């Protein structure tokens, strides 16, 4: 890269993900940005081995008062605490421009790095709206620092991703205290695979019950919530002030009982949720899918995206889904039923839905469902017979 001319003079967005950039290339890039820093808004250097030295060079760019970078993506760049010191020092000295910071998959960042970032968040001039810290080896200690910062200055951050960290219930309780704050502006909270159990779910849902009007996207996938946790979340969904649009509960060991609570909530308050992800809940089976199908029949239902991969669905569940979509075809745009191996050619029944001129499906995913060549032909023929439907069919 150092042998090439880096033309960034007209660029507002510069993406160099997975380009084998090392320190040497980073020197050339930052020299170019130092000479003309005022126009670039988005820099993505993810999946490069920048290490701490590369981050120090980028940090020098951020210190420049003419720097206008708003979005900085440095995921999987082998950054440690040392590099985070340089980055946060730069953001402390010039905090008013960066709004999106993506540092996910930097395993060596750990709690000390999060403490440094937390000091930036405390700055009243900080404008960070999106912070991604997925897979950064954060524990309770880092969560204490982060939530303390958000408690003292909670009015700007709208998107927080702490997935795949060892937060456990104690960390979730700390985050729940932030959510209770009436000044909290968090709209997106991702806590996938954080070792959350019922205890953490009680704290989280209690916070959302007391302050339900801001969060629109909640991801609790890959946590051992079970039916008891889903019941707590369902009580939040019943709240008429709840604004959740996207709910992700994949691989949470949900059975029919949990699905009954969830769908009961959606029947009583169907008008807000648009994305429901329940994949990898093997115990849902056909009885759970029938309950979901009853929700889809409701004319007030606003579900657009429904993901039910790996849910042990067979003919019976597919019949219920098909019937629901025939009676109310106008809202669902994405339906993912992949990896339901026992579905087989019963999935062909969905061809009746595809033929409907009111059908709004843009994606129907039936991969690894055991559909035969003849069944595939029937589905493709249904799409061709309805030229107004531009759905993508994956089989």
């Amino acid at each position: 890269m150092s042998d090439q001319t880096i033309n960034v003079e007209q660029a507002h967005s510069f993406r160099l993900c997975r380009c084998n950039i090392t320190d040497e290339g980073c020197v050339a890039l930052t020299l170019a940005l130092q000479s003309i820093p005022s126009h670039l808004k988005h820099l993505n250097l993810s999946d490069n081995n920048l290490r701490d030295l590369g981050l120090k060079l980028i940090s020098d760019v951020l210190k420049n008062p003419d720097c206008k970078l708003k979005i900085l993506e440095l995921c999987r760049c082998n950054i440690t605490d040392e590099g985070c010191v340089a980055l946060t020092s730069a953001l402390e000295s010039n905090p008013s421009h960066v709004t999106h910071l993506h540092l996910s998959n930097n395993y060596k960042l750990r709690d000390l790095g999060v403490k440094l970032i937390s000091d930036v968040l405390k700055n009243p001039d900080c404008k960070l709206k999106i912070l991604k810290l997925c897979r950064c080896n954060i524990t309770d200690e880092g969560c204490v620092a982060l939530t303390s910062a958000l408690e003292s200055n909670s009015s700007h951050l709208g998107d927080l991703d702490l997935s795949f960290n060892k937060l456990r219930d104690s960390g979730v309780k700390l985050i729940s205290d932030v959510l209770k704050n009436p000044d909290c502006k968090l709209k997106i909270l991702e806590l996938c695979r954080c070792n959350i159990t019922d205890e953490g779910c009680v704290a989280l849902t209690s916070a959302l019950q007391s302050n339900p009007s801001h969060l629109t996207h909640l991801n609790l996938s890959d946590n051992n919530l079970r039916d008891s946790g889903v019941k707590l979340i369902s009580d939040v969904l019943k709240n008429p002030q709840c604004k959740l649009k996207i709910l992700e509960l994949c691989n949470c060991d949900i059975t029919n009982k949990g699905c009954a609570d969830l769908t009961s909530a959606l029947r009583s308050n169907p008008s807000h949720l648009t994305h429901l992800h329940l994949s990898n809940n093997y115990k849902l089976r056909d009885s759970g899918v029938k309950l979901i199908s009853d929700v889809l029949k409701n004319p007030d239902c606003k579900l657009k995206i429904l993901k039910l991969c790996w849910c042990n669905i067979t003919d019976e569940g597919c019949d219920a889904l098909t019937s629901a979509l025939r009676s109310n075809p106008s809202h669902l745009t994405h339906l993912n039923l992949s990896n339901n191996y026992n579905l087989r050619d019963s999935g062909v029944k969905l061809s009746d839905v595809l033929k409907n001129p009111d059908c709004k499906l843009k994606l129907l995913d039936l991969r690894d469902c055991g559909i035969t060549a003849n069944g595939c032909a029937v589905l493709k023929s249904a799409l061709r017979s309805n030229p107004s439907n531009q759905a993508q069919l994956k089989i």
Side-chain angles (χ1 to χ4, degrees):
M1 180 172 170
S2 59
D3 295 329
Q4 300 174 5
T5 300
I6 302 176
N7 183 11
V8 293
E9 291 186 9
Q10 301 302 321
H12 290 280
S13 180
F14 213 45
R15 293 177 175 85
L16 294 168
C17 310
R18 207 170 293 166
C19 290
N20 293 321
I21 302 171
T22 62
D23 301 345
E24 187 182 355
C26 207
V27 169
L29 176 62
T30 52
L31 280 173
L33 292 176
Q34 285 282 40
S35 64
I36 43 167
S38 63
H39 55 86
L40 197 68
K41 302 290 192 298
H42 183 178
L43 178 61
N44 189 346
L45 294 172
S46 296
D47 289 287
N48 289 295
N49 191 29
L50 300 185
R51 296 178 305 206
D52 293 330
L53 178 56
L55 186 53
K56 287 177 183 177
L57 293 165
I58 292 163
S59 299
D60 288 339
V61 175
L62 294 173
K63 288 179 182 177
N64 190 323
D66 293 324
C67 177
K68 296 296 188 296
L69 264 180
K70 293 184 177 295
I71 303 172
L72 180 60
E73 299 185 58
L74 299 168
C75 304
R76 201 178 284 111
C77 286
N78 206 16
I79 300 167
T80 71
D81 298 340
E82 186 182 350
C84 205
V85 168
L87 175 64
T88 53
S89 173
L91 292 175
E92 279 283 297
S93 66
N94 190 13
S96 63
H97 56 96
V98 176
T99 59
H100 298 48
L101 182 59
H102 298 205
L103 294 172
S104 294
N105 292 286
N106 286 294
Y107 307 100
K108 299 175 184 176
L109 205 59
R110 296 190 296 266
D111 291 327
L112 178 56
V114 175
K115 287 179 182 178
L116 294 165
I117 294 165
S118 299
D119 288 339
V120 175
L121 291 171
K122 288 178 182 177
N123 190 325
D125 294 321
C126 175
K127 294 297 188 293
L128 269 179
K129 296 179 182 296
I130 296 176
L131 179 60
K132 304 284 187 182
L133 294 170
C134 176
R135 287 191 173 97
C136 287
N137 268 335
I138 305 169
T139 68
D140 293 351
E141 189 180 352
C143 202
V144 167
L146 182 61
T147 52
S148 174
L150 292 176
E151 280 284 291
S152 66
N153 186 16
S154 61
S155 62
H156 53 90
L157 201 71
D159 182 341
L160 178 61
D161 187 355
L162 295 173
S163 296
F164 294 87
N165 288 295
K166 300 172 185 176
L167 300 187
R168 300 188 297 270
D169 292 329
S170 50
V172 174
K173 288 178 182 178
L174 293 166
I175 293 166
S176 300
D177 288 338
V178 174
L179 292 172
K180 289 178 182 177
N181 189 328
D183 293 324
C184 176
K185 294 295 187 295
L186 270 179
K187 293 183 178 298
I188 300 172
L189 179 60
E190 300 196 58
L191 298 171
C192 179
R193 197 173 293 181
C194 287
N195 293 323
I196 304 169
T197 67
D198 292 350
E199 189 180 351
C201 203
V202 167
L204 180 62
T205 53
S206 173
L208 292 176
Q209 284 284 45
S210 66
N211 189 16
S213 63
H214 55 93
L215 206 69
T216 61
H217 181 173
L218 178 61
N219 185 351
L220 294 173
S221 294
D222 291 289
N223 288 294
N224 192 28
L225 300 185
R226 302 189 301 261
D227 292 331
S228 51
V230 174
K231 187 180 189 312
L232 293 166
I233 293 163
S234 300
D235 289 339
V236 175
L237 292 172
K238 288 178 182 178
N239 190 324
Q241 293 182 303
C242 176
K243 295 295 187 294
L244 270 177
K245 294 181 180 296
I246 301 173
L247 179 60
E248 300 185 58
L249 297 171
C250 304
N251 197 26
C252 287
D253 200 25
I254 304 170
T255 71
N256 298 334
K257 183 180 178 184
C259 198
D261 289 323
L262 180 63
T263 52
S264 172
L266 292 177
R267 281 196 300 272
S268 67
N269 190 14
S271 64
H272 56 94
L273 205 70
T274 59
H275 297 51
L276 181 59
H277 300 197
L278 294 174
S279 295
N280 292 83
N281 286 294
Y282 308 99
K283 299 173 186 176
L284 272 191
R285 296 192 287 266
D286 292 330
S287 49
V289 174
K290 287 180 180 178
L291 293 167
I292 293 166
S293 298
D294 287 339
V295 173
L296 292 173
K297 288 178 182 177
N298 189 326
D300 294 322
C301 175
K302 295 295 187 293
L303 271 179
K304 294 180 179 296
I305 295 177
L306 178 61
K307 296 187 179 182
L308 296 168
C309 320
W310 299 96
C311 287
N312 274 334
I313 304 170
T314 68
D315 299 0
E316 197 176 343
C318 194
D319 284 344
L321 273 175
T322 304
S323 173
L325 292 175
R326 273 201 302 257
S327 66
N328 189 14
S330 64
H331 55 94
L332 206 69
T333 61
H334 289 60
L335 177 60
N336 192 336
L337 299 174
S338 61
N339 292 285
N340 287 291
Y341 300 110
N342 294 320
L343 203 58
R344 297 190 293 272
D345 275 349
S346 61
V348 174
K349 295 169 185 174
L350 288 163
S351 61
D352 288 342
V353 176
L354 294 174
K355 291 175 183 177
N356 190 326
D358 294 323
C359 174
K360 294 295 187 293
L361 274 178
K362 301 297 179 191
L363 174 65
L364 176 60
D365 195 338
L366 293 168
R367 289 174 294 178
D368 297 311
C369 288
I371 296 176
T372 65
N374 184 57
C376 290
V378 173
L379 286 163
K380 290 175 181 177
S381 174
L383 267 183
R384 287 194 297 271
S385 71
N386 186 11
S388 64
N389 186 349
Q390 301 299 314
Q392 182 183 4
L393 184 61
K394 293 184 178 181
I395 43 181

